[in-house]
């Protein structure tokens, strides 16, 4: 069962050479921030390891894991692939697993590992967990990788409407959390309903879960799609859950640390700033507050957090392919010409779509369709369309397409004054933006294009790559 | 005790290093919810060295924007 836990995944990473133990003493600030930054910066987010910090000053005996899914090598391990698998191949394996949808099976156990240790009095998170300030001007110590579980208060037994969402959480007191849940989030719908009823919404904050749970918590699933069922289908095995001590909430049974509590109804409290995924600080806002009534953990728990800030960071890797896969399937519902979607940049503020042209100028319609998907409405600011035989994850190929296919007077469209993403630092006012569509596909009839002959790609060269890589490895020995 | 961000007298010590090492202490402001550790960099925990853009001195809490307004009660 450890295969479904953070610990099980860390073992897999270690076997693949993608986990390091950091045993020298470090200060919570600024050392952990710097180590997190360094781990993801190795080879630009491609090959750096997860880091288990085991000697944090003042927190003797406590362990912190960072950069667990920070790099594409670690993502490949999660997908059961060789750690140097190219990103396009990871995308297709991800999409294959994602296509399982919500067909996964759920199982419940009692006396779960996540409740081996129970703290219900004198809760002090500053002493229980090795907290640290992620970025210098954050308002405090944040959970940047928390899976937050709530239920729809109008349908408390509907498991598909139970939500697991990833929201930023600030520890604002020994047993008090500040949390940013926005109105368009599924958790925001639960909160609105609870506040309309004047009720305190029960909540569980899960820290240290298998990366597939984090993946689903941060994915734009529909309101009535279960993150747990998606996770089970993705992993090809039942998802093992248990009930929280105090409420009817389901939590992954192997979670390292679970914080149980309730939202303070109809109150708003200062939260932020926080260094966010576009690489800019959010402002201070008045947001929701959670009061805790219990903390449960595994024995000797591992606290997990991620570094987020100026990209590339673990946040980008975590949400890169789930954003891409969601949009890929939504586009292909009516546009099977779409071959691949790369939405890994800043949660899809910039997206590259590889598509064939069904007829002249069709790719521009693909761009507009992307701009009107639920996620693309606020994101999908810069949309680049390339031919179906161009690898949208290979920026050398994308740049070639831009260089040789784009006719600025015909292929660049700017749509002003559309919804925008408030965290985009150039969305002004926050929430208002625009769309840029660049069609870098080859013109198709009835469009008229210049008579040229392009050099063919040579797919038959691929097997030789493997031969040459092996020869190179042998030469280095 | 004075908060390093909003500069009001609403902060208090809430924790010490749990391993009894006395390595650091943690403080929370109950007004603006700023949290800091005694061992952080001067530009984080010393008001005169903090970037003024991040300060909340003189800011009324009720003037700080709300993203999710409190909805009307349904009867």
């Amino acid at each position: 069962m450890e295969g479904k836990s953070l610990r099980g995944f860390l073992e897999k990473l270690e076997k693949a050479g993608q986990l390091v133990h950091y045993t020298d003493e470090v200060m919570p600030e600024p050392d952990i921030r710097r180590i997190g930054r360094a781990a993801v910066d190795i080879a630009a987010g491609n090959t750096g390891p997860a880091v288990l910090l085991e000697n944090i000053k003042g927190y003797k005996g406590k362990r912190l894991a960072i950069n667990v899914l920070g790099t594409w090598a670690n993502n490949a391990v999660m997908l059961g692939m060789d750690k140097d698998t190219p990103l396009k191949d990871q995308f297709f394996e991800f999409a294959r697993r994602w296509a399982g949808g919500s067909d996964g099976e759920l199982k419940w156990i009692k006396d779960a590992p996540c409740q081996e240790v129970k703290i219900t009095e004198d809760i002090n998170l500053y002493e229980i967990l090795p907290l640290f300030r992620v970025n210098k001007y954050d308002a405090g110590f944040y959970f940047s990788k928390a899976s937050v579980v709530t239920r729809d208060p109008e349908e408390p037994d509907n498991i598909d409407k139970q939500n697991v969402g990833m929201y930023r959480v600030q520890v604002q007191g020994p047993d008090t959390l500040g949390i940013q849940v926005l109105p368009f989030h599924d958790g925001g719908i639960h909160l609105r309903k609870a506040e309309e009823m004047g009720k305190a919404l029960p909540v569980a904050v899960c820290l240290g879960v298998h990366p597939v749970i984090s993946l689903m918590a941060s994915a734009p699933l529909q309101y009535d799609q279960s993150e747990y069922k998606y996770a089970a289908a993705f992993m090809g095995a039942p998802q093992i859950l248990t009930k929280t001590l105090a409420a009817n909430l389901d939590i992954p049974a192997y979670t390292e640390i679970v914080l149980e509590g309730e939202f303070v109804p109809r109150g708003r409290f200062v939260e932020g700033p926080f260094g966010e995924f576009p690489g800019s600080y959010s402002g201070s806002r008045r947001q929701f507050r959670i009061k805790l009534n219990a903390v449960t953990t595994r024995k000797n728990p591992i606290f997990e957090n991620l570094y987020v800030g100026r990209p590339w960071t673990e946040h980008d890797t975590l949400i890169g392919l789930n954003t891409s896969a969601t949009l890929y399937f939504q586009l292909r519902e009516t546009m099977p010409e779409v071959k691949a979607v790369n939405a890994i940049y800043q949660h899809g503020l910039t997206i590259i779509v590889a598509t064939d042209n069904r007829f002249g100028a069709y790719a521009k319609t693909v761009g507009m369709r992307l701009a009107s998907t639920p996620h693309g409405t606020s994101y999908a600011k810069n949309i680049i369309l390339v031919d179906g035989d161009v690898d949208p994850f290979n920026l050398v190929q994308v740049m070639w397409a831009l260089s040789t296919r784009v006719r600025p007077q015909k292929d660049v469209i700017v749509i002003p004054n559309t919804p925008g993403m408030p965290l985009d630092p150039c969305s002004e006012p926050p929430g208002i933006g625009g769309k840029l569509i660049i069609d870098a596909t080859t013109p198709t009839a009835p469009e008229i294009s210049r008579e040229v002959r392009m050099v063919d790609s040579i797919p038959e060269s691929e097997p030789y790559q493997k031969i040459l890589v092996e020869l190179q490895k042998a030469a280095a020995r | 005790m004075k908060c390093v961000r909003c500069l009001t007298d609403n902060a208090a010590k809430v924790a010490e290093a749990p391993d009894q090492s006395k390595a650091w202490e943690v403080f929370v402001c109950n007004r603006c919810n700023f949290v800091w550790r005694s061992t952080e960099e001067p530009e984080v925990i010393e008001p005169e060295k903090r970037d003024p853009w991040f300060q909340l001195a003189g800011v009324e809490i009720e003037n700080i924007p709300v993203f999710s307004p409190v909805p009307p009660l349904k009867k």
Side-chain angles (χ1 to χ4, degrees):
Chain A
M1 283 305 132
E2 286 296 352
K4 294 171 189 65
S5 69
L6 174 65
R7 290 179 197 202
F9 184 64
L10 293 179
E11 277 171 24
K12 276 190 187 159
L13 287 177
E14 190 150 33
K15 277 187 196 141
Q18 286 300 123
L19 172 75
V20 297
H21 297 261
Y22 204 105
T23 54
D24 286 352
E25 186 176 77
V26 298
M27 290 300 292
E29 299 83 15
D31 294 346
I32 298 175
R33 174 187 316 145
R34 291 173 180 170
I35 293 166
R37 179 74 263 175
V40 74
D41 276 348
I42 294 169
N46 281 294
T47 63
V51 184
L52 195 59
L53 293 152
E54 297 173 349
N55 188 1
I56 303 167
K57 194 163 179 75
Y59 286 120
K60 195 174 169 59
K62 296 187 189 288
R63 300 183 290 171
L64 164 68
I66 52 174
N67 206 44
V68 170
L69 202 65
T71 54
W72 293 118
N74 293 9
N75 194 71
V77 172
M78 181 190 73
L79 294 170
M81 303 176 95
D82 195 68
K83 68 177 182 179
D84 51 17
T85 305
L87 188 46
K88 188 182 181 187
D89 295 339
Q90 291 191 39
F91 167 76
F92 282 117
E93 172 59 11
F94 193 102
R96 185 190 69 75
R97 289 167 174 258
W98 194 265
S102 56
D103 286 345
E105 188 190 343
L106 307 181
K107 281 186 179 168
W108 281 261
I109 61 169
K110 287 183 176 165
D111 303 319
C114 68
Q115 292 167 345
E116 284 169 345
V117 178
K118 300 183 178 89
I119 305 167
T120 53
E121 287 176 357
D122 300 325
I123 293 167
N124 190 338
L125 292 182
Y126 300 109
E127 296 180 352
I128 297 170
L129 302 175
L131 301 173
F132 63 99
R133 192 184 305 273
V134 177
N135 275 299
K136 205 180 212 177
Y137 292 113
D138 291 350
F141 311 144
Y142 272 82
F143 303 141
S144 47
K145 202 179 181 183
S147 299
V148 178
V149 185
T150 53
R151 279 189 182 254
D152 184 328
E154 290 176 354
E155 293 175 73
D157 296 322
N158 186 331
I159 194 149
D160 293 317
K161 291 187 176 177
Q162 175 170 251
N163 185 56
V164 187
M166 190 169 288
Y167 309 111
R168 74 185 201 210
V169 178
Q170 185 201 352
V171 181
Q172 293 190 337
D175 62 352
T176 305
L177 307 175
I179 178 168
Q180 169 170 285
V181 186
L182 299 176
F184 59 82
H185 291 140
D186 291 349
I189 295 169
H190 293 177
L191 275 160
R192 177 180 50 75
K193 290 182 177 184
E195 290 197 323
E196 283 172 349
M197 298 157 105
K199 281 188 181 169
L201 186 71
V203 58
V205 178
C206 301
L207 304 166
V209 291
H210 188 278
V212 170
I213 296 290
S214 304
L215 202 70
M216 295 306 163
S218 59
L221 298 186
Q222 289 170 24
Y223 184 67
D224 58 355
Q225 288 177 334
S226 161
E227 286 79 8
Y228 292 138
K229 289 182 181 174
Y230 255 80
F234 193 93
M235 294 171 81
Q239 186 57 227
I240 312 297
L241 304 171
T242 196
K243 293 285 179 192
T244 52
L245 301 181
N248 178 31
L249 292 170
D250 301 305
I251 48 176
Y254 291 82
T255 306
E256 294 290 330
I257 297 146
V258 182
L259 315 180
E260 295 188 26
E262 290 182 336
F263 280 87
V264 175
R266 308 182 68 79
R268 299 293 183 270
F269 305 85
V270 184
E271 184 273 348
F274 181 65
E276 277 284 359
F277 68 88
S280 50
Y281 283 97
S282 69
S284 291
R285 297 283 184 272
R286 282 184 292 150
Q287 313 253 26
F288 295 101
R289 167 165 282 188
I290 294 169
K291 276 301 227 188
L292 301 180
N293 47 43
V295 176
T296 71
T297 76
R298 300 188 64 162
K299 283 178 194 154
N300 194 14
I302 301 170
F303 173 49
E304 193 205 353
N305 220 18
L306 61 70
Y307 178 76
V308 55
R310 189 167 166 149
W312 196 261
T313 74
E314 181 175 359
H315 185 277
D316 298 299
T317 312
L318 177 67
I319 64 174
L321 292 186
N322 64 26
T323 312
S324 302
T326 303
L327 295 167
Y328 172 73
F329 286 112
Q330 287 173 354
L331 288 176
R332 281 178 60 91
E333 277 175 21
T334 53
M335 297 177 146
E337 295 82 4
V338 169
K339 300 297 179 203
V341 176
N342 175 0
I344 69 174
Y345 307 103
Q346 288 69 62
H347 208 177
L349 280 174
T350 295
I351 301 177
I352 304 156
V353 180
T355 181
D356 292 338
N357 272 309
R358 192 187 301 175
F359 39 72
Y362 181 76
K364 292 184 176 71
T365 312
V366 174
M368 289 186 271
R369 181 101 173 108
L370 177 65
S372 57
T373 56
H375 184 74
T377 302
S378 300
Y379 291 81
K381 179 175 67 171
N382 307 310
I383 298 169
I384 300 169
L385 301 137
V386 296
D387 282 322
D389 66 353
V390 171
D391 175 357
F393 294 95
N394 182 331
L395 294 189
V396 171
Q397 291 189 23
V398 173
M399 288 298 158
W400 168 69
L402 288 171
S403 299
T404 59
R405 302 281 160 74
V406 175
R407 304 156 300 176
Q409 68 279 19
K410 285 186 167 180
D411 292 328
V412 177
I413 302 167
V414 175
I415 305 166
N417 213 44
T418 68
M421 171 58 193
L423 290 174
D424 172 0
C426 65
S427 168
E428 179 66 33
I432 296 295
K435 303 290 184 197
L436 167 66
I437 299 175
I438 304 177
D439 180 359
T441 62
T442 306
T444 305
E447 257 214 290
I448 299 162
S449 64
R450 210 179 109 194
E451 267 296 312
V452 286
R453 287 288 177 277
M454 304 302 282
V455 177
D456 291 332
S457 63
I458 310 179
E460 298 84 357
S461 73
E462 274 182 32
Y464 289 99
Q465 269 194 42
K466 288 194 180 108
I467 295 171
L468 294 178
V469 167
E470 288 307 315
L471 285 171
Q472 199 176 12
K473 277 185 192 163
R477 271 178 214 132
Chain B
M1 160 176 203
K2 194 194 260 190
C3 169
V4 303
R5 177 167 75 163
C6 76
L7 307 183
T8 67
D9 197 23
N10 283 288
K13 185 172 95 176
V14 290
E16 293 180 358
D19 60 7
Q20 317 301 326
S21 62
K22 308 261 180 210
W24 41 255
E25 297 171 328
V26 174
F27 303 91
V28 172
C29 172
N30 291 315
R31 181 173 175 272
C32 79
N33 300 320
F34 190 74
V35 178
W36 72 98
R37 195 187 318 268
S38 55
T39 47
E40 293 193 70
E41 309 97 297
E43 59 268 37
V44 176
I45 62 171
E46 291 179 22
E48 60 280 9
K49 291 187 179 158
R50 284 179 53 79
D51 181 339
W53 198 84
F54 291 102
Q55 291 301 79
L56 289 180
V59 174
E60 293 298 328
I61 298 296
E62 52 270 31
N63 290 337
I64 293 175
V66 169
F67 268 151
S68 296
V70 179
L73 274 172
K74 275 191 180 167
K75 285 168 194 167

